[in-house]
Amino acid sequence: MIQESIMGELDLLQNNYMKFTKGAQILIEPPDFSVGTTPHNVVYSEDKMQLLHYKPTVEKTCPVPVLVVYALVNRYYILDLQPDKSVIKNLLDQGFDVYAIDWGYPTGTDRYLTIDDYVNGYINNAVDYIRKKSRLDSITLMGVCQGGTFSLMFTALHPEKVKNLITFVAPLDFDTDKALLNIWAKKLDVDKIVDYYGIVPGDFLNMGFLLLDPFRLLIDKYIGFLERMDDKRTVENFLRMEKWIFDSPGQAGETFRQFIKDCYQKNLLVKNRMVIGGKRIDLTKISMPLLNVMAEFDHLVPNDASHPITDAVSSADKKTLVFPTGHIGMFVGSKSQNEVCPKIADWLKPRSMIEETGNANHIKQKEIKKINRKSKETNK
Amino acid sequence: MDNARFASTQDFFNMYLKTCDASFGKLAELPAMGPARERSEKMMRGFSLFFNLYETWMDSVSDFQKLSMEAMNRMQEKAADMEGEISPEQSRELYNIWIETYSDTFKEFLRSGHFASDSGKFMSSFIEAQKYNQEMLEESFLKPMNLPTKTEIDELNKELYSLNKKVKELTCKVNELSGNM
């Protein structure tokens, strides 16, 4: 009896050891897998930034192009992780013309880039390129996470260039203690960090993200992986996520400094007191249709940080959508494909139409004529 | 671990430095000792920085040790029912309790102002020490060997950034004037 029990436990031990070595082997020498597979062309580039234009998967039924602006932290391809988990492919399948910004990996020469360079430089130039190419006055801007905050800044400064604004898990009000990042950032001596590093290392930020829940992110996740690694698909999905999590570009120092100080520490943006490039950002200048999308269980960008977007703008046509998922679940979870993307598309489709005979200029001309006619009638 | 121990060690070290300065240190004030004195002062500053780093590091270690003890106590309370021999199925249950308890306890601590403040101090002293290392490396090796230092490269990067910005502004103006935009 005792012998059987010992043999049983030894078998279990051996089995676990085999699993562990196999898992370690997969992580050390991962099989080939790809991310960001939706076909695209690089249509514009400036310094490290590249503007990607995705090839349509169906006939374009919504002519107003959508520009996706992702955060500087981690990489944009979380929105296109794999064909069946791709926000970008989902939008293409619904007939949208999709562009995305890839910020690249900043190096020493980028350490002095400011938020002004990103917002009034790179984003502005990408938007101008798309406007010129599509012959439209304005396009749809979809800002994701920190990219959403940048999109708010851009739209407030250049409202004439944005037809619709979608903020996707984007923070605006940083004065909250619902997320650890908000608590930590308040005590961060950002000057010392930026002055020493120049380009703030991606690993430094990654360490912060892992500390959000160290036991689950550094142990439990891998135990779970060992238990599910017999399925090839599960392994590939896991490796894709791992690649994305640890693919952390450094941060341009001056931008990081300003973002931490003005947003996280002084919370200036929501108070309409933040200044970039010598211009104050007044969010009430945002009057176009706005869709504010957030995740109910977001541990990085809590709802308290995103909800105020809807109130801060002066748009008459505005809507808030909250989905019962987490931050990452908004990009790659099953809800992302089945609920989030379709609802965004439902909202955006009727707002992405232009008149049959022309472009937005034509619409503008018609509106102007209408206003003139009304004023003549009033004068009479 | 008692944090007061590190503070008293730091006090002792500072007292030692003051005594040195007041006695043997006077020798270093002789004009002939000029460059050597400067180096010696820098090295002393280095000691102080590394001491700060050690102190803040030990504060963090001490915090995490206390936290681990707290998590272990909480886990013991939760796993009190699981007495006797543990089957493989129960091992899984035990693991779940362990992960859940430790994760919750750590998250609770990481959310506290105490952690934010302590980690901020540690980060600060870490960077101070790194900066000192960099300065010493530049002065002791890179400059004498006529190799470019990080400070010089940063200056070049700044210059490059300004030039790049100027070029972009001028290109934009040229495009506007030529009606391309």
Side-chain angles (χ1 to χ4, degrees), chain A residues 43 53 60 99 128-136:
Chain A
V43 290
H53 187 202
K60 282 181 203 167
Y99 290 81
D128 280 348
Y129 174 88
I130 299 168
R131 287 167 64 227
K132 198 174 171 188
K133 199 183 170 201
S134 59
R135 294 181 186 174
L136 290 172

Side-chain angles (χ1 to χ4, degrees), chain A residues 116-372:
Chain A
D116 174 42
D117 294 309
Y118 280 100
V119 173
N120 291 319
Y122 299 130
I123 296 178
N124 188 36
N125 293 342
V127 169
D128 280 348
Y129 174 88
I130 299 168
R131 287 167 64 227
K132 198 174 171 188
K133 199 183 170 201
S134 59
R135 294 181 186 174
L136 290 172
D137 282 347
S138 55
I139 63 165
T140 295
L141 203 58
M142 179 171 161
V144 181
C145 194
Q146 183 194 30
T149 314
F150 282 6
S151 298
L152 280 165
M153 295 176 189
F154 174 80
T155 311
L157 293 170
H158 308 273
E160 73 286 356
K161 296 182 181 180
V162 183
K163 184 172 169 59
N164 306 295
L165 175 64
I166 301 172
T167 51
F168 195 85
V169 290
L172 170 65
D173 187 350
F174 293 83
D175 192 13
T176 170
D177 60 356
K178 294 273 164 63
L180 286 175
L181 290 182
N182 294 69
I183 296 172
W184 297 343
K186 285 197 170 54
K187 301 272 182 182
L188 197 69
D189 190 344
V190 69
D191 286 330
K192 263 188 190 157
I193 294 170
V194 172
D195 290 346
Y196 175 67
Y197 284 113
I199 293 288
V200 180
D203 288 341
F204 171 77
L205 298 175
N206 239 334
M207 199 176 70
F209 290 126
L210 291 174
L211 267 181
L212 293 173
D213 193 353
F215 281 86
R216 295 215 186 272
L217 297 174
L218 292 168
I219 300 171
D220 196 40
K221 185 177 75 175
Y222 296 100
I223 299 284
F225 169 65
L226 292 180
E227 287 170 351
R228 290 177 286 117
M229 69 183 172
D230 291 331
D231 178 23
K232 192 182 171 222
R233 208 175 139 77
T234 309
V235 170
E236 281 182 4
N237 290 352
F238 181 85
L239 290 172
R240 283 191 185 100
M241 271 311 292
E242 283 292 283
K243 177 180 167 59
W244 178 76
I245 288 168
F246 293 103
D247 188 0
S248 321
Q251 302 292 300
E254 294 309 318
T255 298
F256 185 76
R257 192 197 309 263
Q258 194 184 3
F259 198 70
I260 294 288
K261 279 190 170 178
D262 287 359
C263 294
Y264 276 98
Q265 294 177 347
K266 297 180 191 162
N267 201 21
L268 295 180
L269 186 59
V270 72
K271 297 172 188 161
N272 290 329
R273 280 169 44 203
M274 187 164 168
V275 175
I276 61 168
K279 287 180 185 162
R280 187 174 67 84
I281 301 166
D282 181 1
L283 296 171
T284 58
K285 295 267 170 66
I286 299 177
S287 57
M288 70 291 299
L290 167 92
L291 179 65
N292 184 12
V293 187
M294 56 188 101
E296 194 181 343
F297 310 114
D298 200 323
H299 66 302
L300 296 171
V301 181
N303 288 179
D304 282 4
S306 303
H307 258 302
I309 295 174
T310 320
D311 295 330
V313 300
S314 63
S315 314
D317 176 7
K318 53 188 172 184
K319 190 175 180 180
T320 301
L321 291 176
V322 186
F323 294 92
T325 183
H327 191 81
I328 307 297
M330 292 290 277
F331 310 116
V332 292
S334 57
K335 280 201 172 57
S336 168
Q337 294 299 296
N338 302 330
E339 291 177 35
V340 181
C341 293
K343 283 202 173 157
I344 291 175
D346 286 349
W347 181 87
L348 191 55
K349 271 180 189 171
R351 291 164 180 85
S352 298
M353 297 299 160
I354 47 175
E355 299 280 301
E356 280 174 14
T357 49
N359 52 28
N361 283 322
H362 178 74
I363 300 171
K364 219 176 193 176
Q365 290 303 319
K366 277 182 83 178
E367 278 172 0
I368 292 166
K369 275 179 191 168
K370 209 172 159 183
I371 293 163
N372 287 342

